[in-house]
Amino acid sequence: MLELRSLTKRFSDPAAGARTVVEDFDLEVKPGEFCALIGPTGCGKSTVLSMVAGLERPSAGTILADGAELAGTDPRTGLVFQQDNVFPWKTVLGNVAAGPRFRGASRAEANARAMDWIRRVGLAGFEQHYPHQLSGGMRKRVALAQTFVNDPRILLMDEPFSGLDAQTRQIMAGELLELWEALGASVLFVTHDLEEAIALADRVVVLTARPATVKREFTVDLPRPRSPREIRFHPRFVELHEEIWSSLGDEVRTAYTRATTAS
Amino acid sequence: MRTLLRRSAVPAVQIAILVALLGAWQVAVDTKSISVFFFGSPSGTFRELYEWIRRGTVQGPLWQQAWVTMQETLAGFGIGVVLGVLLGTVLGRIPVLARIFTVYIGTLNSVPRIVLGSVFIIWFGLGMGSKIALAVVLVFFSVFFNAFQGARDVDPGLIANAKVLGAGRGAVLGHVVLPATFSWIIASLRVAFGLAVTGAVVGEILGATQGLGLLIEQAQGNFDPDGVYAGLVVTTALAAVAEGLITLLERRLLRWKPRRRTAPAPTT
């Protein structure tokens, strides 16, 4: 169980004083639940993830995992970034084995676990390749394997597929669901793509324009296991899309007006 | 077949140009168009080299002189690289220290460093110490600035990823900061080696009891241009071999980088 309680983040800005990016953010993610956070670009969604991942400290509020406070990076959390932050000087095997190595596993054990995940993301045969020799989709698979090999209970994903082309995106979304169903982790998935959010998640949380706070939550009552490509044609999908968009649209317009009048 | 021809054509032309230039020089000297007394000649230079190899130099066997210069070069190179990498990485990763020390390093960098050779000869005497010191000073700055730049520009996303994957401070340094800085450092090594040779030879010219620089300096004193050229040839050959070794090392260590056509790095 992941709980965010009145989470707030302020950045000091020399020009405008303190800038509040996230304010009084409350959220609960049940074990094994796939929760998508959706909001207008630049609303502070990524900052929420950075705080849960332990990369940034909240200015106020607490993050609890199974009732105990999460402070700093934690073995239970894993984060898949927007850019594939794979290490260019490590082979695919070295990249995937990095997590277990950092956490004190022996080289043999780390490599064995890495080999298993490389196979599961469909990169068998590419163990000795360097990232620059791989396509964008393959590098993303390395990034997924790199995170999953640590067996995170809380999986954080920050617009992980936004850099990929439309076709690769759909394929990766399908693979992600399969891997997640086997892993059973709680997922906090940040995106600004509503279709992606509905296709993947059990619950879609709409955030307000900056400062980010929870506006409304929608339960996605679509059957599982799902194929993200086919589920789009489900009548319930279309209804949910209408419903959520009517809530999200206002925030997107607010953010847009603000961005165009500020400059 | 055609590609083979084209591939061998370039070195053939290169050799032809060299032969033509040396030949023109030799002819100019033989026909007394230019004075052999001032300008020397290719044949004279080869004769001098042959003598050095067969009978040894005035200072003793040639290999001994070359070995002295090589030792100074290698010691200066090694110490300079280690200091440059250490200080560059530390200042690159700790912004407070960088703010304090960059003004000093910047100022020292503007000092014409070759002149320090005279200071080092007074401090450390005519032995190897003063040459090594000069080589260290030359090498240090070239490596330092590259290491500093590299350590400062490490992709923050990679550091964040390593931290989330469970890396502590040491692992972040070893698995992210150092490898990222490495490509910058290695790019500077070839130039730095050229500078180490320069430091050792100039140090010897300024005052020494042994070494290739001393041979050059004595030839200059005897008004023997062929001797100066012969010294240059030996020094260049040593530097070229060492740079070849560094290129091999570079290929081995930077296997992870996409292959790119690179122009040969300039040496001083």
Side-chain angles (χ1 to χ4, degrees):
Chain A
M1 178 86 138
L2 174 68
E3 294 163 82
L4 315 186
R5 293 215 180 127
S6 340
L7 207 57
T8 300
K9 181 68 185 179
R10 274 181 294 270
F11 288 107
S12 58
D13 186 334
R19 209 156 45 92
T20 308
V21 180
V22 179
E23 194 163 38
D24 275 335
F25 196 100
D26 288 298
L27 185 72
E28 282 186 12
V29 186
K30 289 185 273 298
E33 188 186 18
F34 198 123
C35 179
L37 298 185
I38 189 159
T41 314
C43 76
K45 332 183 264 296
S46 299
T47 312
V48 173
L49 280 200
S50 292
M51 288 190 281
V52 180
L55 292 170
E56 277 183 69
R57 272 170 180 284
S59 310
T62 46
I63 303 164
L64 303 173
D66 299 325
E69 187 164 350
L70 259 185
T73 53
D74 190 284
R76 284 170 297 180
T77 58
L79 171 60
V80 181
F81 294 79
Q82 186 171 358
Q83 295 85 14
D84 49 80
N85 282 327
V86 296
F87 307 115
W89 39 84
K90 287 186 190 287
T91 59
V92 169
L93 180 62
N95 264 292
V96 180
R101 293 285 287 152
F102 292 155
R103 299 235 153 100
S106 71
R107 185 176 291 274
E109 193 206 328
N111 282 354
R113 281 167 60 189
M115 290 300 271
D116 180 41
W117 273 103
I118 290 169
R119 189 184 50 73
R120 284 161 84 172
V121 299
L123 287 177
F126 289 96
E127 292 84 0
Q128 298 307 323
H129 282 60
Y130 286 95
H132 77 87
Q133 299 167 307
L134 306 177
S135 69
M138 290 163 93
R139 280 203 299 274
K140 203 85 236 181
R141 290 193 172 90
V142 176
L144 290 181
Q146 196 175 43
T147 300
F148 288 170
V149 75
N150 274 340
D151 194 22
R153 301 324 300 156
I154 300 165
L155 178 59
L156 309 165
M157 305 189 91
D158 186 3
E159 306 193 25
F161 305 142
S162 64
L164 303 173
D165 63 78
Q167 288 84 351
T168 314
R169 251 178 115 140
Q170 291 212 335
I171 296 171
M172 293 301 297
E175 290 181 7
L176 170 66
L177 281 188
E178 282 172 29
L179 295 171
W180 164 71
E181 272 153 19
L183 195 69
S186 311
V187 183
L188 207 50
F189 188 101
V190 161
T191 179
H192 59 250
D193 180 343
L194 181 53
E195 291 195 21
E196 187 177 56
I198 302 171
L200 292 172
D202 296 316
R203 187 154 50 109
V204 175
V205 177
V206 177
L207 307 188
T208 58
R210 178 178 295 176
T213 169
V214 176
K215 184 178 182 189
R216 252 188 94 178
E217 298 188 11
F218 296 86
T219 306
V220 180
D221 45 3
L222 290 168
R224 287 204 190 269
R226 291 181 203 163
S227 147
R229 197 176 57 79
E230 286 161 18
I231 200 79
R232 277 158 219 257
F233 305 110
H234 199 287
R236 183 69 189 130
F237 184 97
V238 182
E239 276 175 40
L240 278 166
H241 193 284
E242 278 302 306
E243 224 177 291
I244 302 176
W245 176 251
S246 66
S247 170
L248 175 64
D250 294 340
E251 300 306 322
V252 173
R253 275 186 288 276
T254 309
Y256 180 75
T257 322
R258 226 185 267 166
T260 45
T261 49
S263 57
Chain B
M1 188 63 203
R2 191 178 283 174
T3 50
L4 185 73
L5 268 179
R6 213 176 288 155
R7 209 174 291 162
S8 56
V10 172
V13 171
Q14 286 170 331
I15 291 170
I17 291 174
L18 180 69
V19 170
L21 285 176
L22 289 180
W25 178 8
Q26 186 67 45
V27 170
V29 169
D30 288 345
T31 58
K32 300 208 162 42
S33 303
I34 58 173
S35 160
V36 72
F37 181 73
F38 291 115
F39 296 104
S41 68
S43 62
T45 306
F46 282 122
R47 221 175 299 127
E48 186 101 33
L49 267 178
Y50 182 71
E51 283 299 300
W52 281 1
I53 293 164
R54 237 191 59 174
R55 299 225 185 95
T57 66
V58 214
Q59 307 299 326
L62 179 63
W63 64 265
Q64 205 174 12
Q65 305 310 309
W67 177 231
V68 168
T69 305
M70 218 46 207
Q71 273 175 290
E72 293 159 358
T73 304
L74 289 176
F77 180 70
I79 299 171
V81 167
V82 169
L83 287 180
V85 168
L86 278 181
L87 243 76
T89 313
V90 168
L91 292 201
R93 290 315 302 170
I94 308 175
V96 182
L97 290 183
R99 275 202 295 278
I100 297 172
F101 286 102
T102 36
V103 66
Y104 291 107
I105 290 171
T107 311
L108 283 177
N109 187 39
S110 330
V111 173
R113 288 185 292 281
I114 285 291
V115 178
L116 290 176
S118 304
V119 178
F120 291 147
I121 286 179
I122 297 171
W123 287 357
F124 304 119
L126 292 179
M128 283 194 187
S130 52
K131 286 81 199 167
I132 293 173
L134 186 57
V136 167
V137 169
L138 292 179
V139 168
F140 171 80
F141 284 96
S142 123
V143 175
F144 171 83
F145 285 111
N146 269 281
F148 179 63
Q149 184 80 9
R152 211 174 36 173
D153 289 354
V154 179
D155 182 352
L158 294 180
I159 294 178
N161 192 20
K163 280 187 186 160
V164 174
L165 290 173
R169 267 173 174 277
V172 168
L173 188 72
H175 289 262
V176 184
V177 176
L178 286 183
T181 313
F182 237 63
S183 57
W184 286 79
I185 294 170
I186 285 175
S188 73
L189 287 189
R190 251 180 301 168
V191 177
F193 194 86
L195 290 172
V197 174
T198 308
V201 172
V202 168
E204 287 167 354
I205 291 176
L206 290 175
T209 52
Q210 280 199 87
L212 295 172
L214 178 65
L215 289 180
I216 294 173
E217 195 264 338
Q218 283 176 335
Q220 180 200 331
N222 297 334
F223 234 92
D224 169 18
D226 290 341
V228 177
Y229 301 146
L232 266 176
V233 170
V234 177
T235 315
T236 309
L238 286 179
V241 169
E243 280 178 28
L245 291 177
I246 291 174
T247 308
L248 286 182
L249 178 81
E250 190 176 342
R251 290 236 180 93
R252 172 74 187 75
L253 289 174
L254 296 185
R255 263 181 321 176
W256 55 270
K257 278 208 152 183
R259 277 244 178 283
R260 240 181 328 175
R261 276 164 206 277
T262 46
T267 49
T268 33

